Amino acid sequence: MQNMSISLKDGPALEIERESLTALDALKLLNVKRPERLVAAEVNGEICDLSRPIGQNAQLAPVYVDSEKGLEILRHSAAHVMAMAVRELFPGVKVTIGPAIEDGFYYDFDYERPFREDDLPRIEEKMGEIIEEDLAFSRREMSAQEAVDWFKRHSEDYKVELIRDLGAEKVSLYTQGSFTDLCRGPHIPSTGLIKAFRLLKVAGAYWRGDENRAMLSRIYGTAFADPKRLKEYLHRLEEAQRRNHVKLGPQLELFSTHEEIGAGMIVWHPKGMMLRHILEEFEIREHLKRDYEMVKGPELLKTELWKKSGHFENYRENMYFTTIDEQSYGIKPMNCLAHMLIYRSKIRSYRDLPRRYFELGTVHRHERSGVLHGLLRVREFTQDDAHIICMPEQLNGEIKGVLNFVKDVMAIFNFDYDLEVSTRPEKSIGSDEDWKMATDALMRAMEDEGLPYEINEGDGAFYGPKIDVKLKDALGRKWQCATIQCDFTLPEKFDLFYIDKDGQKRRPAMIHRVIVGAIERFIGVLIEHYAGAFPTWLAPVQAMVLTVTDRNIPFGEQVLSELREAEVRIEGDFRNEKLGLKVREAQLQKIPYMLIVGDKECEKGGVTPRKRDGQNLPLMSPEEFLHLISEENKIGGNGHSKET
Ligand SMILES: [Zn+2]
Ligand SMILES: [Zn+2]
């Protein structure tokens, strides 16, 4: 018998005289802590079942149920348990695939009818029984042909298709109790390890995402290492539902979408348009402060120009085209081209650089209907877009300037964020040299500013690498908003140049950048971030005058017009209704201040402000209230609200 050497990473090796040592045996011999929390093992860098014989010299690492990898294995195993429960409860159902996903798992089924939310409790109960039985997951390998025969016998056509497409000689099957699934593994040792799970929702999904194939029924669920974590997660889900902008948008009368108008097109209602206007004014102020110039290009540009820029070649499937007077035009999906023509409209010297052209540019992009979602993914949107055209040696300073711009703006909205650099994608234009220079410029600027960042290989725009800014909202969710892209290629294609100190023509560099990105998307994120309760400077309606009785209406109207004239965004509720009802309604609309006007207020010529969180302020004059609002407006950099 041969000796085998096993060790933990950085640990001493142990010589063992056994042939059939499993990963679990080895980990126990190596005295790992908490063996009851193990779900798998890493053996020579590969994650495998605890029951797998190691059969060779091995370096091992434990995989615990509460680690990221462990949770993934737990959740995928829960998907097998769910599939088993569904098969037992719904005879004739065919199983397809059931992967772990971020925060949970799903399994797709083909059944005579779609599953419904009210099927879930029964399935959960059955899963509970399977978990209670603590059935072991056992693995066996067989030839692909044997597996095909096996699944054919059990009428699992989808599995047969999967095995054929795999094209492997051998496949592995996992069995727990009466249920066998085609799977690479690994799995938890037995079903009893699933201590906390919940089924969440059902949805339709095409087999292999192909709309020409069968429509399947997908059941989503999640599992955690312990009930406390599950409870926290369910609470976060509930909170996310409460903040869902698709629900809050219409409820707060901000926006709507209409089948009659078209998918991915937003209709802005008065309050939403006011919110948008406030944001756009904010954007313009912030850009002018930083020496940007406002410009605007047209919506339609000749297709010839899109060919010249490379958009036709690389971005055509996302664009819309139309023909006017037998001439083909493309609706702009980006704002760059007109900005370059503005630059090229006269000869620029090194003294003129940098030029920073800013446009609240409305663009159209064809997104697949399946990915459209509320304000987050739409087909028409407006970007706070700018193009900075500068000398290559100014690039570093300009990128830092944009990074600081992002920092200032995100602080105003209380967003933390992470930075990621995306490098050259497969479909792209430009030389390797230019790509390297551009990527280095972005990385160096972040390093100079001491900002940590991650790298996304191959995720850049077709014309250059980019920095993506991922916002973290009040629930810790990440949102892609700002991007900074560095580009040497478009200036080349459009023959942009400047006259340098020595009188020579030189090629400038170009930065494409957005700070909040698409205004639509940013508003969607803001609604969820603030749960609809916007800070006063941003609130479409800042205050609501509420009268107590009809006697108070004349004074109420006086307060209303006085404050409105002073540019407070204010409305009145003078209905002959109980004050309590009016307060509740204003609170549902998340209006920052309710101004109560009763007999006492009329007599003293003041108002009693009540905040939306229920806090009452002392009776004050309309002028004092105006002062308070003006102070809060300053957060958004707007100090121009007149004081009377
Ligand atoms: Zn599996
Ligand atoms: Zn651009």
Side-chain angles (χ1 to χ4, degrees):
M1 189 181 293
Q2 250 188 331
N3 270 13
M4 212 160 62
S5 152
I6 56 171
S7 65
L8 292 173
K9 194 169 178 261
D10 303 327
L14 201 61
E15 297 294 322
I16 304 288
E17 274 188 36
R18 270 171 63 184
E19 260 174 307
S20 60
L21 190 71
T22 66
L24 180 63
D25 296 335
L27 286 170
K28 281 184 170 166
L29 285 170
L30 291 164
N31 278 326
V32 297
K33 294 188 190 95
R34 303 187 296 153
E36 72 288 352
R37 302 284 277 173
L38 287 169
V39 286
E42 201 183 307
V43 180
N44 294 329
E46 194 192 335
I47 298 196
C48 68
D49 296 324
L50 288 172
S51 58
R52 184 83 75 94
I54 49 177
Q56 56 179 326
N57 293 342
Q59 193 185 63
L60 293 107
V63 177
Y64 290 109
V65 65
D66 42 12
S67 68
E68 197 180 319
K69 198 70 211 168
L71 265 181
E72 197 184 315
I73 295 168
L74 178 80
R75 286 167 178 165
H76 171 63
S77 303
H80 279 234
V81 169
M82 177 168 78
M84 176 175 176
V86 168
R87 268 193 71 130
E88 289 189 8
L89 290 170
F90 303 92
V93 72
K94 290 182 198 296
V95 297
T96 69
I97 53 161
I101 51 173
E102 196 183 355
D103 290 340
F105 61 85
Y106 70 76
Y107 211 111
D108 285 349
F109 302 99
D110 186 356
Y111 189 51
E112 59 196 42
R113 64 160 173 88
F115 289 118
R116 298 182 302 255
E117 301 276 330
D118 61 11
D119 293 322
L120 300 186
R122 282 171 70 198
I123 302 171
E124 279 185 340
E125 198 182 319
K126 188 53 120 184
M127 287 173 72
E129 289 167 19
I130 297 166
I131 291 165
E132 188 80 9
E133 284 178 64
D134 197 16
L135 302 170
F137 281 91
S138 63
R139 176 194 172 95
R140 74 190 131 130
E141 288 188 354
M142 56 174 76
S143 73
Q145 190 51 50
E146 273 178 287
V148 164
D149 293 342
W150 196 94
F151 282 109
K152 265 190 181 164
R153 272 202 306 282
H154 293 83
S155 304
E156 293 290 10
D157 322 336
Y158 294 94
K159 296 290 174 189
V160 172
E161 183 183 331
L162 285 173
I163 298 165
R164 292 208 163 125
D165 285 4
L166 263 172
E169 258 172 55
K170 275 184 148 190
V171 295
S172 57
L173 271 56
Y174 276 82
T175 302
Q176 87 270 15
S178 64
F179 181 75
T180 296
D181 206 344
L182 171 76
C183 186
R184 213 172 342 154
H187 278 281
I188 56 176
S190 65
T191 59
L193 253 107
I194 303 170
K195 303 285 187 210
F197 74 97
R198 180 72 67 87
L199 299 186
L200 300 169
K201 61 178 179 184
V202 294
Y206 291 109
W207 169 234
R208 303 197 137 173
D210 180 346
E211 52 199 274
N212 300 312
R213 305 292 305 269
M215 172 58 100
L216 306 171
S217 204
R218 175 172 296 179
I219 302 178
Y220 286 96
T222 193
F224 283 86
D226 60 71
K228 189 168 156 263
R229 291 271 174 279
L230 175 64
K231 209 176 143 197
E232 285 166 4
Y233 174 73
L234 293 175
H235 177 74
R236 271 209 315 282
L237 269 192
E238 225 171 80
E239 188 56 28
Q241 264 311 310
R242 192 177 74 80
R243 291 164 179 262
N244 184 353
H245 79 280
V246 178
K247 275 194 196 154
L248 278 176
Q251 195 180 311
L252 299 176
E253 298 174 46
L254 298 172
F255 68 90
S256 59
T257 52
H258 303 262
E259 194 47 51
E260 296 156 275
I261 286 180
M265 304 290 176
I266 304 299
V267 175
W268 294 95
H269 293 224
K271 285 180 189 161
M273 193 56 213
M274 179 52 82
L275 174 61
R276 208 183 143 133
H277 171 70
I278 296 160
L279 264 180
E280 290 184 353
E281 276 210 313
F282 166 78
E283 292 264 16
I284 292 169
R285 276 197 308 276
E286 294 299 319
H287 279 84
L288 294 181
K289 260 200 258 181
R290 292 170 176 82
D291 203 15
Y292 283 78
E293 300 168 290
M294 285 200 283
V295 296
K296 185 157 179 62
E299 286 292 310
L300 292 172
L301 291 81
K302 283 185 186 167
T303 302
E304 281 311 306
L305 201 64
W306 296 115
K307 284 184 179 163
K308 183 174 178 174
S309 66
H311 283 82
F312 191 79
E313 176 71 25
N314 293 281
Y315 204 70
R316 188 175 32 196
E317 54 276 24
N318 294 88
M319 291 178 65
Y320 304 96
F321 293 91
T322 186
T323 303
I324 304 166
D325 295 342
E326 287 161 50
Q327 172 75 57
S328 172
Y329 284 79
I331 302 178
K332 68 172 172 176
M334 299 181 195
N335 305 298
C336 334
L337 303 200
H339 295 196
M340 283 190 290
L341 298 192
I342 295 167
Y343 179 87
R344 222 177 55 178
S345 64
K346 64 183 202 187
I347 295 190
R348 312 281 176 178
S349 113
Y350 69 94
R351 276 187 236 94
D352 301 325
L353 300 186
R355 300 250 59 88
R356 306 186 186 101
Y357 298 132
F358 167 60
E359 174 173 358
L360 285 167
T362 300
V363 295
H364 290 77
R365 292 183 190 172
H366 180 251
E367 300 270 8
R368 284 180 303 112
S369 58
V371 302
L372 298 174
H373 177 60
L375 294 175
L376 299 179
R377 283 292 272 276
V378 291
R379 286 180 172 162
E380 182 200 278
F381 55 95
T382 300
Q383 295 176 302
D384 63 339
D385 200 5
H387 294 93
I388 302 173
I389 303 172
C390 64
M391 295 188 271
E393 55 268 39
Q394 290 172 322
L395 211 44
N396 184 261
E398 289 302 310
I399 297 168
K400 285 190 216 166
V402 177
L403 285 168
N404 281 311
F405 196 166
V406 169
K407 185 173 83 182
D408 294 348
V409 168
M410 294 315 149
I412 287 170
F413 296 100
N414 269 324
F415 283 120
D416 278 338
Y417 56 87
D418 292 332
L419 300 171
E420 292 173 7
V421 174
S422 297
T423 58
R424 183 168 196 169
E426 251 171 56
K427 218 177 174 187
S428 55
I429 54 177
S431 69
D432 287 346
E433 246 164 65
D434 283 352
W435 272 87
K436 186 179 175 338
M437 193 156 50
T439 311
D440 287 349
L442 293 174
M443 290 184 182
R444 199 154 45 83
M446 285 186 287
E447 278 153 21
D448 289 352
E449 294 292 290
L451 299 167
Y453 62 88
E454 278 177 32
I455 296 178
N456 279 338
E457 293 293 349
D459 215 18
F462 73 83
Y463 48 77
K466 57 179 181 162
I467 297 174
D468 285 328
V469 179
K470 299 266 161 86
L471 303 188
K472 282 185 273 186
D473 75 3
L475 289 188
R477 295 173 300 176
K478 281 193 176 187
W479 307 90
Q480 161 74 57
C481 289
T483 63
I484 308 168
Q485 302 172 350
C486 191
D487 178 7
F488 291 99
T489 307
L490 283 179
E492 181 83 34
K493 283 182 178 281
F494 279 76
D495 193 27
L496 304 188
F497 65 87
Y498 63 94
I499 306 296
D500 209 350
K501 288 188 187 94
D502 55 9
Q504 296 293 311
K505 271 182 164 185
R506 295 238 149 71
R507 191 74 71 208
M510 181 152 92
I511 298 168
H512 310 244
R513 45 107 290 185
V514 293
I515 302 295
V516 309
I519 303 252
E520 284 75 3
R521 182 183 171 77
F522 191 64
I523 289 179
V525 174
L526 287 179
I527 294 171
E528 304 217 354
H529 180 55
Y530 293 122
F534 301 109
T536 305
W537 76 271
L538 204 53
V541 179
Q542 298 176 304
M544 177 83 99
V545 180
L546 306 180
T547 48
V548 180
T549 74
D550 286 350
R551 283 195 300 282
N552 313 131
I553 293 177
F555 182 63
E557 280 175 341
Q558 190 190 318
V559 170
L560 181 67
S561 67
E562 210 174 287
L563 289 173
R564 186 174 282 155
E565 230 166 275
E567 293 183 21
V568 176
R569 298 186 293 274
I570 190 166
E571 288 180 0
D573 184 351
F574 302 147
R575 289 174 305 164
N576 186 10
E577 294 283 358
K578 288 226 161 56
L579 182 64
L581 175 97
K582 295 188 191 182
V583 167
R584 264 199 309 284
E585 285 185 7
Q587 257 164 349
L588 273 179
Q589 285 295 307
K590 312 201 187 235
I591 294 167
Y593 289 101
M594 288 154 258
L595 303 182
I596 315 290
V597 172
D599 289 342
K600 188 176 68 181
E601 286 81 8
C602 289
E603 190 187 309
K604 300 209 161 148
V607 295
T608 302
R610 181 187 160 92
K611 290 188 165 187
R612 65 187 153 202
D613 63 6
Q615 188 197 345
N616 285 308
L617 302 184
L619 194 150
M620 60 178 74
S621 69
E623 294 73 29
E624 283 170 306
F625 179 70
L626 179 59
H627 181 70
L628 191 151
I629 288 276
S630 304
E631 283 303 306
E632 294 190 33
N633 276 343
K634 283 182 189 160
I635 295 169
N638 187 354
H640 78 257
S641 216
K642 282 178 287 187
E643 292 189 38
T644 49

